[in-house]
Amino acid sequence: MALSILRCIECGHTHQLDEPVYVCGVCGGLLDVIHDFDSLEAPITRELFDKRLGSLDAPYNSGVWRYKEMVFPGAADNEIVTRGEGNTTLYKTPKKLAAWIGAERLALKHEGENPTGSFKDRGMTGGVTHAVMVEASGVVCASTGNTSASMASYAALADLQALVFFPYGNIAVGKLAQSVAYGAINVQVKGDFDTSLDLVRQACREFGIYLLNSVNPFRLEGQKTIVFEIIQQRRWQVPDWIVLPGGNLGNTSAFGKGLKEMFDLGLIDKLPRIAVIQAEGAAPFYHSYKEDFATRHTVKANTIATAIKIGNPASYVKARRALEWTNGIVEMVTDQEIVDAKAQVDLSGIGCEPASAASVAGVKKLIANGVIHPDDDVVAVLTGHVLKDPSVVMDYHQGTLDGFQTPYANHLRTIEPTLADVQTLLNQEKTQTR
Ligand code: F0G
Protein backbone atom coordinates (compact mmCIF):
# COMPACT_ATOMS: atom_id res chain seq x y z
CA MET A 1 0.00 0.00 0.00
CA ALA A 2 1.04 3.62 -0.49
CA LEU A 3 2.26 5.41 2.62
CA SER A 4 -1.23 6.90 3.01
CA ILE A 5 -4.57 6.37 1.30
CA LEU A 6 -8.11 7.68 1.62
CA ARG A 7 -10.65 5.16 2.89
CA CYS A 8 -14.41 5.53 3.18
CA ILE A 9 -15.61 5.07 6.76
CA GLU A 10 -18.90 3.60 5.52
CA CYS A 11 -18.06 1.14 2.72
CA GLY A 12 -14.27 0.87 2.92
CA HIS A 13 -13.68 1.92 -0.69
CA THR A 14 -10.25 3.48 -1.13
CA HIS A 15 -8.91 6.43 -3.13
CA GLN A 16 -5.40 7.67 -3.79
CA LEU A 17 -4.28 10.86 -2.04
CA ASP A 18 -4.19 12.88 -5.24
CA GLU A 19 -7.73 12.07 -6.36
CA PRO A 20 -9.96 15.16 -6.21
CA VAL A 21 -12.50 13.68 -3.77
CA TYR A 22 -13.73 14.77 -0.34
CA VAL A 23 -16.29 12.03 0.13
CA CYS A 24 -16.40 8.44 -1.10
CA GLY A 25 -16.87 8.16 -4.86
CA VAL A 26 -19.02 5.05 -4.36
CA CYS A 27 -21.33 5.74 -1.44
CA GLY A 28 -20.76 9.40 -0.51
CA GLY A 29 -19.46 8.53 2.97
CA LEU A 30 -16.79 10.53 4.80
CA LEU A 31 -13.17 9.65 4.13
CA ASP A 32 -10.32 8.90 6.54
CA VAL A 33 -6.67 9.35 5.71
CA ILE A 34 -5.15 5.99 6.62
CA HIS A 35 -1.40 5.75 7.11
CA ASP A 36 0.63 2.60 6.79
CA PHE A 37 2.62 3.09 9.99
CA ASP A 38 4.42 -0.24 9.53
CA SER A 39 6.10 0.93 6.34
CA LEU A 40 7.72 3.99 7.97
CA GLU A 41 11.51 4.02 8.12
CA ALA A 42 11.63 4.61 11.87
CA PRO A 43 9.06 3.31 14.34
CA ILE A 44 6.71 5.80 16.00
CA THR A 45 7.75 6.27 19.61
CA ARG A 46 7.32 8.86 22.35
CA GLU A 47 11.07 9.52 22.09
CA LEU A 48 10.78 10.49 18.41
CA PHE A 49 8.33 13.25 19.32
CA ASP A 50 10.11 14.27 22.54
CA LYS A 51 13.38 14.71 20.63
CA ARG A 52 11.76 17.34 18.40
CA LEU A 53 10.53 19.53 21.27
CA GLY A 54 12.27 22.89 21.04
CA SER A 55 13.26 22.32 17.41
CA LEU A 56 14.23 25.61 15.74
CA ASP A 57 13.55 24.64 12.16
CA ALA A 58 10.37 24.33 10.11
CA PRO A 59 8.45 22.16 9.83
CA TYR A 60 9.44 20.34 13.06
CA ASN A 61 9.14 23.50 15.19
CA SER A 62 5.38 23.24 14.56
CA GLY A 63 3.16 21.50 17.11
CA VAL A 64 1.49 19.76 14.16
CA TRP A 65 4.53 18.65 12.17
CA ARG A 66 6.33 17.45 15.27
CA TYR A 67 4.04 14.45 14.73
CA LYS A 68 4.56 14.36 10.96
CA GLU A 69 4.69 10.55 10.75
CA MET A 70 1.14 10.41 12.14
CA VAL A 71 -0.19 13.43 10.21
CA PHE A 72 1.07 13.36 6.66
CA PRO A 73 4.19 11.19 6.38
CA GLY A 74 4.40 11.58 2.59
CA ALA A 75 4.57 15.39 2.60
CA ALA A 76 7.91 16.80 1.43
CA ASP A 77 9.37 18.98 4.20
CA ASN A 78 10.05 21.87 1.84
CA GLU A 79 6.46 21.88 0.53
CA ILE A 80 4.77 22.11 3.90
CA VAL A 81 2.80 25.33 4.40
CA THR A 82 3.30 26.11 8.07
CA ARG A 83 3.19 29.04 10.46
CA GLY A 84 4.68 27.12 13.35
CA GLU A 85 1.16 26.39 14.61
CA GLY A 86 0.40 24.46 17.77
CA ASN A 87 2.76 24.56 20.76
CA THR A 88 -0.11 26.10 22.71
CA THR A 89 -0.18 26.40 26.50
CA LEU A 90 -1.77 23.83 28.76
CA TYR A 91 -2.78 26.05 31.69
CA LYS A 92 -3.29 24.88 35.21
CA THR A 93 -6.66 26.50 35.92
CA PRO A 94 -6.23 29.59 38.14
CA LYS A 95 -7.58 29.01 41.65
CA LYS A 96 -10.56 31.38 41.57
CA LEU A 97 -11.70 30.05 38.21
CA ALA A 98 -11.28 26.44 39.34
CA ALA A 99 -13.35 27.17 42.46
CA TRP A 100 -16.11 28.75 40.37
CA ILE A 101 -16.19 25.69 38.12
CA GLY A 102 -15.96 23.30 41.07
CA ALA A 103 -13.01 21.43 39.54
CA GLU A 104 -9.95 20.39 41.47
CA ARG A 105 -7.79 19.04 38.65
CA LEU A 106 -8.72 20.94 35.51
CA ALA A 107 -6.26 22.13 32.87
CA LEU A 108 -7.12 24.43 29.97
CA LYS A 109 -5.56 23.79 26.57
CA HIS A 110 -5.60 27.15 24.82
CA GLU A 111 -5.89 26.65 21.09
CA GLY A 112 -6.62 30.37 20.75
CA GLU A 113 -2.83 30.77 20.96
CA ASN A 114 -2.42 29.53 17.38
CA PRO A 115 -1.18 31.98 14.68
CA THR A 116 -4.67 33.13 13.59
CA GLY A 117 -6.18 32.68 17.04
CA SER A 118 -7.97 29.35 16.76
CA PHE A 119 -7.38 25.60 16.52
CA LYS A 120 -8.23 25.75 12.82
CA ASP A 121 -4.59 26.51 12.00
CA ARG A 122 -3.65 22.96 12.93
CA GLY A 123 -6.02 21.62 10.31
CA MET A 124 -5.27 24.29 7.76
CA THR A 125 -1.53 23.56 7.63
CA GLY A 126 -2.47 19.98 6.65
CA GLY A 127 -5.21 20.96 4.21
CA VAL A 128 -3.31 23.72 2.42
CA THR A 129 -0.19 21.53 2.18
CA HIS A 130 -2.32 18.93 0.40
CA ALA A 131 -3.90 21.60 -1.83
CA VAL A 132 -0.41 22.67 -2.91
CA MET A 133 0.58 19.06 -3.49
CA VAL A 134 -2.34 18.49 -5.89
CA GLU A 135 -1.65 21.86 -7.57
CA ALA A 136 -4.97 23.48 -6.66
CA SER A 137 -5.29 27.03 -7.97
CA GLY A 138 -7.69 28.21 -5.30
CA VAL A 139 -9.33 27.07 -2.08
CA VAL A 140 -12.82 27.54 -0.69
CA CYS A 141 -14.75 27.08 2.55
CA ALA A 142 -18.02 27.97 4.23
CA SER A 143 -17.33 29.29 7.68
CA THR A 144 -18.66 30.76 10.88
CA GLY A 145 -15.43 32.79 10.89
CA ASN A 146 -12.44 30.86 12.24
CA THR A 147 -11.95 28.38 9.41
CA SER A 148 -12.06 31.29 6.98
CA ALA A 149 -9.58 33.42 8.96
CA SER A 150 -7.20 30.49 9.04
CA MET A 151 -7.74 29.45 5.43
CA ALA A 152 -7.26 33.02 4.19
CA SER A 153 -3.94 33.24 6.01
CA TYR A 154 -2.52 29.89 4.91
CA ALA A 155 -3.78 30.34 1.35
CA ALA A 156 -2.05 33.72 1.12
CA LEU A 157 1.15 32.15 2.41
CA ALA A 158 0.95 29.50 -0.31
CA ASP A 159 -0.05 32.05 -2.97
CA LEU A 160 -3.47 30.48 -3.49
CA GLN A 161 -6.67 32.51 -3.91
CA ALA A 162 -9.07 31.97 -1.01
CA LEU A 163 -12.83 32.16 -1.47
CA VAL A 164 -15.03 32.29 1.64
CA PHE A 165 -18.78 31.83 1.99
CA PHE A 166 -20.16 33.28 5.22
CA PRO A 167 -23.66 32.83 6.58
CA TYR A 168 -25.50 36.15 6.37
CA GLY A 169 -24.67 38.52 9.28
CA ASN A 170 -23.50 36.94 12.52
CA ILE A 171 -19.75 36.71 11.84
CA ALA A 172 -17.73 37.99 14.79
CA VAL A 173 -15.88 41.12 13.74
CA GLY A 174 -12.38 39.88 14.66
CA LYS A 175 -12.79 36.89 12.36
CA LEU A 176 -14.23 38.81 9.41
CA ALA A 177 -11.45 41.38 9.72
CA GLN A 178 -8.83 38.65 9.42
CA SER A 179 -10.33 37.18 6.28
CA VAL A 180 -10.52 40.63 4.68
CA ALA A 181 -6.98 41.51 5.74
CA TYR A 182 -5.47 38.28 4.39
CA GLY A 183 -6.96 38.93 0.96
CA ALA A 184 -9.72 36.34 0.64
CA ILE A 185 -12.71 36.94 -1.61
CA ASN A 186 -15.44 37.24 1.01
CA VAL A 187 -19.04 36.45 0.13
CA GLN A 188 -22.13 36.62 2.31
CA VAL A 189 -24.64 33.90 1.46
CA LYS A 190 -28.28 34.74 2.18
CA GLY A 191 -28.74 31.76 4.46
CA ASP A 192 -27.24 30.14 7.55
CA PHE A 193 -24.00 28.15 7.91
CA ASP A 194 -25.62 24.85 6.96
CA THR A 195 -27.00 26.34 3.74
CA SER A 196 -23.61 27.91 2.96
CA LEU A 197 -21.78 24.61 3.48
CA ASP A 198 -24.25 22.76 1.22
CA LEU A 199 -23.70 25.37 -1.47
CA VAL A 200 -19.92 25.18 -1.20
CA ARG A 201 -19.90 21.39 -1.37
CA GLN A 202 -22.03 21.47 -4.52
CA ALA A 203 -19.85 24.19 -6.04
CA CYS A 204 -16.72 22.13 -5.39
CA ARG A 205 -18.21 19.15 -7.17
CA GLU A 206 -19.45 21.28 -10.03
CA PHE A 207 -16.51 23.65 -10.54
CA GLY A 208 -13.58 21.62 -9.17
CA ILE A 209 -12.48 24.08 -6.47
CA TYR A 210 -10.42 22.71 -3.58
CA LEU A 211 -12.62 22.38 -0.46
CA LEU A 212 -11.14 23.23 2.94
CA ASN A 213 -14.03 22.57 5.29
CA SER A 214 -13.47 19.84 7.87
CA VAL A 215 -15.03 17.18 5.62
CA ASN A 216 -11.58 17.46 4.01
CA PRO A 217 -9.81 14.63 5.84
CA PHE A 218 -6.39 16.34 5.74
CA ARG A 219 -7.80 19.04 8.03
CA LEU A 220 -8.59 16.43 10.65
CA GLU A 221 -5.11 14.92 10.42
CA GLY A 222 -3.75 18.27 11.57
CA GLN A 223 -6.38 18.83 14.23
CA LYS A 224 -5.79 15.49 15.91
CA THR A 225 -2.42 16.84 17.07
CA ILE A 226 -4.31 18.82 19.73
CA VAL A 227 -4.75 15.59 21.69
CA PHE A 228 -1.20 14.45 20.86
CA GLU A 229 0.18 17.66 22.28
CA ILE A 230 -2.05 17.60 25.37
CA ILE A 231 -0.82 14.12 26.22
CA GLN A 232 2.82 14.86 25.41
CA GLN A 233 2.68 18.01 27.57
CA ARG A 234 1.44 15.79 30.39
CA ARG A 235 4.48 13.56 29.87
CA TRP A 236 2.32 10.99 28.13
CA GLN A 237 -0.09 10.67 31.04
CA VAL A 238 -3.67 10.36 29.81
CA PRO A 239 -6.34 12.49 31.55
CA ASP A 240 -9.71 11.05 32.57
CA TRP A 241 -11.61 13.48 30.36
CA ILE A 242 -11.03 15.74 27.38
CA VAL A 243 -13.83 18.29 26.97
CA LEU A 244 -14.44 20.36 23.84
CA PRO A 245 -17.18 22.40 22.14
CA GLY A 246 -19.00 20.75 19.25
CA GLY A 247 -20.34 22.49 16.13
CA ASN A 248 -19.68 20.85 12.79
CA LEU A 249 -17.99 18.04 14.82
CA GLY A 250 -14.74 18.00 12.84
CA ASN A 251 -12.67 18.47 15.95
CA THR A 252 -14.52 15.76 17.87
CA SER A 253 -13.86 13.42 14.95
CA ALA A 254 -10.19 14.37 14.84
CA PHE A 255 -9.79 13.81 18.60
CA GLY A 256 -11.34 10.35 18.33
CA LYS A 257 -9.12 9.30 15.43
CA GLY A 258 -5.99 10.69 17.05
CA LEU A 259 -6.61 9.01 20.38
CA LYS A 260 -7.44 5.68 18.79
CA GLU A 261 -4.24 5.80 16.73
CA MET A 262 -2.12 6.67 19.77
CA PHE A 263 -3.66 3.77 21.63
CA ASP A 264 -3.23 1.31 18.75
CA LEU A 265 0.43 2.34 18.37
CA GLY A 266 1.04 1.82 22.07
CA LEU A 267 1.87 5.48 22.73
CA ILE A 268 -0.79 5.51 25.47
CA ASP A 269 -2.18 2.69 27.56
CA LYS A 270 -5.75 3.92 27.99
CA LEU A 271 -8.19 6.27 26.30
CA PRO A 272 -9.59 9.40 27.93
CA ARG A 273 -13.34 9.98 27.72
CA ILE A 274 -14.39 12.72 25.33
CA ALA A 275 -17.16 15.10 26.41
CA VAL A 276 -18.63 17.20 23.60
CA ILE A 277 -20.45 20.35 24.67
CA GLN A 278 -23.04 22.01 22.44
CA ALA A 279 -24.99 25.23 22.85
CA GLU A 280 -28.63 24.56 23.74
CA GLY A 281 -29.92 26.31 20.61
CA ALA A 282 -27.52 24.40 18.34
CA ALA A 283 -27.49 20.93 19.86
CA PRO A 284 -28.51 18.38 17.21
CA PHE A 285 -25.73 15.99 18.23
CA TYR A 286 -26.82 16.18 21.87
CA HIS A 287 -30.41 15.29 20.89
CA SER A 288 -29.21 12.32 18.82
CA TYR A 289 -26.94 11.17 21.66
CA LYS A 290 -29.84 11.29 24.11
CA GLU A 291 -31.75 8.88 21.83
CA ASP A 292 -28.79 6.51 21.47
CA PHE A 293 -28.34 7.87 17.95
CA ALA A 294 -31.64 6.38 16.76
CA THR A 295 -32.24 9.59 14.75
CA ARG A 296 -29.84 12.00 13.10
CA HIS A 297 -31.31 15.29 14.28
CA THR A 298 -30.93 18.63 12.54
CA VAL A 299 -32.04 21.96 13.97
CA LYS A 300 -32.36 25.59 12.90
CA ALA A 301 -29.40 26.73 14.97
CA ASN A 302 -29.35 29.73 17.25
CA THR A 303 -26.73 30.70 19.84
CA ILE A 304 -24.65 33.67 20.90
CA ALA A 305 -21.60 31.46 20.29
CA THR A 306 -21.69 32.07 16.54
CA ALA A 307 -18.72 29.76 15.89
CA ILE A 308 -20.89 26.77 16.77
CA LYS A 309 -24.20 28.03 15.36
CA ILE A 310 -24.57 24.88 13.25
CA GLY A 311 -27.69 22.76 12.87
CA ASN A 312 -26.56 19.89 10.65
CA PRO A 313 -23.01 18.82 11.60
CA ALA A 314 -21.14 17.45 8.57
CA SER A 315 -18.92 15.10 10.59
CA TYR A 316 -21.79 13.50 12.52
CA VAL A 317 -20.84 9.91 11.63
CA LYS A 318 -17.17 10.31 12.49
CA ALA A 319 -18.04 12.07 15.74
CA ARG A 320 -20.34 9.23 16.72
CA ARG A 321 -17.46 6.85 16.10
CA ALA A 322 -15.22 9.02 18.30
CA LEU A 323 -17.71 8.67 21.16
CA GLU A 324 -17.86 4.90 20.71
CA TRP A 325 -14.06 4.62 20.83
CA THR A 326 -13.72 6.78 23.92
CA ASN A 327 -16.90 6.00 25.85
CA GLY A 328 -17.69 9.63 25.20
CA ILE A 329 -20.68 11.77 26.13
CA VAL A 330 -22.50 14.87 24.90
CA GLU A 331 -23.89 17.68 27.06
CA MET A 332 -25.49 21.00 26.25
CA VAL A 333 -25.32 24.38 28.01
CA THR A 334 -27.43 27.52 27.76
CA ASP A 335 -26.19 30.76 26.24
CA GLN A 336 -26.33 32.34 29.70
CA GLU A 337 -24.03 29.59 31.00
CA ILE A 338 -21.71 30.21 28.06
CA VAL A 339 -21.41 33.97 28.57
CA ASP A 340 -20.91 33.59 32.32
CA ALA A 341 -18.21 30.94 31.81
CA LYS A 342 -16.60 33.21 29.25
CA ALA A 343 -16.61 36.14 31.67
CA GLN A 344 -14.94 33.94 34.30
CA VAL A 345 -12.28 32.62 31.91
CA ASP A 346 -11.64 36.19 30.71
CA LEU A 347 -11.44 37.61 34.25
CA SER A 348 -8.92 34.90 35.14
CA GLY A 349 -6.56 36.52 32.62
CA ILE A 350 -6.66 33.65 30.15
CA GLY A 351 -9.59 34.72 27.99
CA CYS A 352 -11.39 32.93 25.16
CA GLU A 353 -14.16 33.41 22.61
CA PRO A 354 -17.77 32.44 23.41
CA ALA A 355 -17.79 29.00 21.74
CA SER A 356 -14.68 28.01 23.69
CA ALA A 357 -16.36 28.88 26.97
CA ALA A 358 -18.89 26.13 26.23
CA SER A 359 -16.14 23.69 27.29
CA VAL A 360 -15.82 25.35 30.67
CA ALA A 361 -19.57 25.75 31.15
CA GLY A 362 -19.84 22.07 30.23
CA VAL A 363 -17.30 20.95 32.83
CA LYS A 364 -19.11 23.00 35.48
CA LYS A 365 -22.44 21.44 34.57
CA LEU A 366 -21.07 17.88 34.37
CA ILE A 367 -19.45 18.26 37.80
CA ALA A 368 -22.67 19.68 39.25
CA ASN A 369 -24.58 16.70 37.78
CA GLY A 370 -22.09 14.20 39.20
CA VAL A 371 -20.99 12.91 35.77
CA ILE A 372 -17.47 14.29 36.22
CA HIS A 373 -16.02 14.02 39.73
CA PRO A 374 -14.48 17.19 41.16
CA ASP A 375 -11.14 15.39 41.47
CA ASP A 376 -11.22 13.78 38.01
CA ASP A 377 -8.26 14.69 35.86
CA VAL A 378 -9.82 16.91 33.17
CA VAL A 379 -8.52 18.90 30.20
CA ALA A 380 -10.91 21.40 28.62
CA VAL A 381 -10.03 22.82 25.23
CA LEU A 382 -10.38 26.57 24.61
CA THR A 383 -10.77 26.76 20.87
CA GLY A 384 -10.49 30.49 20.10
CA HIS A 385 -8.90 33.75 21.27
CA VAL A 386 -10.69 36.40 23.37
CA LEU A 387 -10.25 39.04 20.61
CA LYS A 388 -12.17 37.03 18.03
CA ASP A 389 -15.49 38.39 19.24
CA PRO A 390 -14.95 41.77 20.93
CA SER A 391 -18.62 42.77 20.61
CA VAL A 392 -19.76 40.06 23.00
CA VAL A 393 -17.08 41.14 25.50
CA MET A 394 -18.05 44.80 25.43
CA ASP A 395 -21.81 44.17 25.43
CA TYR A 396 -21.48 41.80 28.40
CA HIS A 397 -19.38 44.16 30.47
CA GLN A 398 -21.44 47.27 29.58
CA GLY A 399 -24.58 45.38 30.56
CA THR A 400 -26.02 45.79 27.05
CA LEU A 401 -26.12 42.15 26.02
CA ASP A 402 -29.81 41.85 25.19
CA GLY A 403 -31.66 39.13 27.06
CA PHE A 404 -28.76 38.21 29.37
CA GLN A 405 -27.91 38.67 33.04
CA THR A 406 -24.40 40.08 33.42
CA PRO A 407 -23.41 39.23 37.00
CA TYR A 408 -19.65 39.44 36.38
CA ALA A 409 -19.69 42.69 34.41
CA ASN A 410 -16.60 44.89 34.67
CA HIS A 411 -18.04 48.30 33.77
CA LEU A 412 -16.09 51.00 32.02
CA ARG A 413 -15.80 54.11 34.26
CA THR A 414 -15.59 57.73 33.09
CA ILE A 415 -14.24 60.62 35.14
CA GLU A 416 -13.37 64.32 34.78
CA PRO A 417 -9.59 64.88 34.60
CA THR A 418 -9.39 65.95 38.28
CA LEU A 419 -7.69 64.47 41.33
CA ALA A 420 -10.96 64.79 43.20
CA ASP A 421 -12.58 62.40 40.75
CA VAL A 422 -9.66 60.01 41.07
CA GLN A 423 -10.04 60.16 44.87
CA THR A 424 -13.77 59.45 44.66
CA LEU A 425 -13.09 56.59 42.27
CA LEU A 426 -10.53 55.01 44.59
CA ASN A 427 -12.86 55.31 47.57
CA GLN A 428 -15.69 53.69 45.63
CA GLU A 429 -13.55 50.85 44.32
CA LYS A 430 -12.37 49.99 47.84
CA THR A 431 -15.90 49.30 48.92
CA GLN A 432 -17.00 47.61 45.73
CA THR A 433 -16.75 43.96 44.98
CA ARG A 434 -17.45 42.55 41.58
N1 F0G B 1 -14.86 26.54 18.65
C1 F0G B 1 -14.57 27.47 17.74
C2 F0G B 1 -13.91 28.72 18.19
C3 F0G B 1 -14.90 27.26 16.38
O1 F0G B 1 -14.60 28.20 15.48
C4 F0G B 1 -15.55 26.07 16.00
C5 F0G B 1 -15.92 25.83 14.61
C6 F0G B 1 -15.81 25.13 17.00
C7 F0G B 1 -15.47 25.39 18.31
C8 F0G B 1 -16.47 23.83 16.69
O2 F0G B 1 -15.62 22.96 16.07
O3 F0G B 1 -16.98 22.51 14.03
O4 F0G B 1 -15.04 21.08 14.64
O5 F0G B 1 -17.14 21.00 15.98
N2 F0G B 1 -15.86 26.68 13.69
C9 F0G B 1 -16.08 26.42 12.25
C10 F0G B 1 -15.70 27.62 11.42
C11 F0G B 1 -17.39 25.85 11.95
O6 F0G B 1 -16.23 27.79 10.31
O7 F0G B 1 -14.84 28.37 11.86
P1 F0G B 1 -16.22 21.81 15.12
Side-chain angles (χ1 to χ4, degrees):
M1 139 180 176
L3 207 44
S4 311
I5 52 161
L6 297 170
R7 191 173 70 200
C8 175
I9 68 164
E10 306 274 3
C11 75
H13 185 79
T14 58
H15 291 273
Q16 297 307 309
L17 284 203
D18 56 358
E19 287 180 57
V21 289
Y22 306 100
V23 291
C24 176
V26 174
C27 77
L30 294 171
L31 299 173
D32 269 336
V33 186
I34 303 287
H35 309 293
D36 182 7
F37 295 127
D38 292 336
S39 72
L40 291 171
E41 272 172 32
I44 292 176
T45 58
R46 294 176 179 181
E47 290 70 35
L48 173 68
F49 302 139
D50 283 344
K51 232 175 28 198
R52 290 181 184 151
L53 286 170
S55 168
L56 296 175
D57 299 314
Y60 299 99
N61 61 348
S62 151
V64 171
W65 298 100
R66 180 157 77 245
Y67 312 100
K68 183 182 169 197
E69 289 75 5
M70 294 181 73
V71 171
F72 199 160
D77 283 2
N78 61 356
E79 277 184 11
I80 290 173
V81 184
T82 174
R83 291 192 58 185
E85 48 291 309
N87 296 311
T88 58
T89 309
L90 183 65
Y91 290 91
K92 187 173 184 314
T93 308
K95 273 208 186 90
K96 263 200 323 208
L97 176 60
W100 183 80
I101 298 166
E104 289 160 21
R105 291 166 71 202
L106 174 66
L108 301 171
K109 176 67 170 166
H110 207 326
E111 287 296 302
E113 295 177 355
N114 271 291
T116 75
S118 84
F119 70 95
K120 305 288 182 180
D121 295 339
R122 290 195 191 249
M124 220 40 86
T125 184
V128 173
T129 296
H130 182 254
V132 169
M133 204 168 126
V134 297
E135 297 177 357
S137 56
V139 289
V140 65
C141 71
S143 181
T144 56
N146 278 326
T147 297
S148 44
S150 182
M151 186 186 82
S153 163
Y154 281 77
L157 211 61
D159 205 17
L160 293 173
Q161 180 59 55
L163 172 60
V164 177
F165 289 82
F166 290 116
Y168 199 75
N170 261 315
I171 300 299
V173 66
K175 304 176 187 181
L176 186 55
Q178 286 178 291
S179 186
V180 171
Y182 293 134
I185 298 169
N186 299 295
V187 184
Q188 293 196 83
V189 179
K190 292 185 180 167
D192 58 15
F193 171 81
D194 302 292
T195 315
S196 310
L197 181 57
D198 273 353
L199 181 67
V200 166
R201 291 180 75 168
Q202 285 174 41
C204 284
R205 270 200 304 274
E206 208 55 38
F207 309 121
I209 326 171
Y210 189 95
L211 177 70
L212 271 172
N213 278 100
S214 54
V215 289
N216 179 322
F218 296 95
R219 284 264 320 270
L220 303 193
E221 291 308 287
Q223 283 172 214
K224 71 188 187 186
T225 63
I226 299 171
V227 289
F228 296 173
E229 199 170 86
I230 289 172
I231 292 174
Q232 188 178 22
Q233 283 170 317
R234 294 167 46 96
R235 294 172 175 74
W236 304 100
Q237 297 307 301
V238 177
D240 297 319
W241 294 91
I242 296 183
V243 185
L244 79 164
N248 216 16
L249 301 176
N251 225 17
T252 304
S253 306
F255 282 25
K257 183 170 189 278
L259 289 167
K260 175 86 166 41
E261 286 171 348
M262 283 183 103
F263 183 77
D264 290 345
L265 283 165
L267 292 170
I268 53 175
D269 54 11
K270 67 166 191 168
L271 289 165
R273 297 183 71 184
I274 289 181
V276 181
I277 315 298
Q278 295 208 290
E280 194 178 62
F285 194 51
Y286 171 81
H287 295 303
S288 295
Y289 165 78
K290 277 293 176 195
E291 293 175 2
D292 270 338
F293 297 107
T295 319
R296 179 170 175 168
H297 284 274
T298 59
V299 300
K300 181 98 193 119
N302 193 21
T303 168
I304 192 163
T306 52
I308 50 174
K309 191 173 164 188
I310 295 171
N312 184 16
S315 290
Y316 172 91
V317 182
K318 281 187 179 175
R320 215 184 124 173
R321 180 181 73 169
L323 294 191
E324 277 163 21
W325 282 336
T326 63
N327 189 20
I329 62 168
V330 189
E331 184 52 276
M332 67 176 183
V333 291
T334 64
D335 275 8
Q336 182 68 52
E337 289 169 321
I338 289 175
V339 294
D340 285 342
K342 174 177 154 51
Q344 289 291 329
V345 174
D346 291 355
L347 289 165
S348 80
I350 290 175
C352 68
E353 70 160 281
S356 312
S359 296
V360 171
V363 175
K364 184 172 165 66
K365 183 169 178 183
L366 290 167
I367 289 177
N369 291 349
V371 179
I372 294 183
H373 275 255
D375 67 348
D376 279 355
D377 188 356
V378 185
V379 177
V381 180
L382 302 176
T383 46
H385 195 278
V386 65
L387 286 177
K388 287 283 191 175
D389 197 344
S391 318
V392 167
V393 176
M394 292 317 294
D395 286 344
Y396 184 94
H397 292 287
Q398 312 268 49
T400 53
L401 199 58
D402 274 351
F404 287 86
Q405 308 284 316
T406 54
Y408 310 113
N410 176 20
H411 297 285
L412 193 65
R413 288 82 163 166
T414 308
I415 60 167
E416 294 299 330
T418 64
L419 272 182
D421 264 24
V422 175
Q423 176 82 70
T424 312
L425 176 80
L426 293 176
N427 289 342
Q428 278 171 0
E429 291 302 317
K430 261 186 220 148
T431 55
Q432 275 183 9
T433 51
R434 263 191 206 128

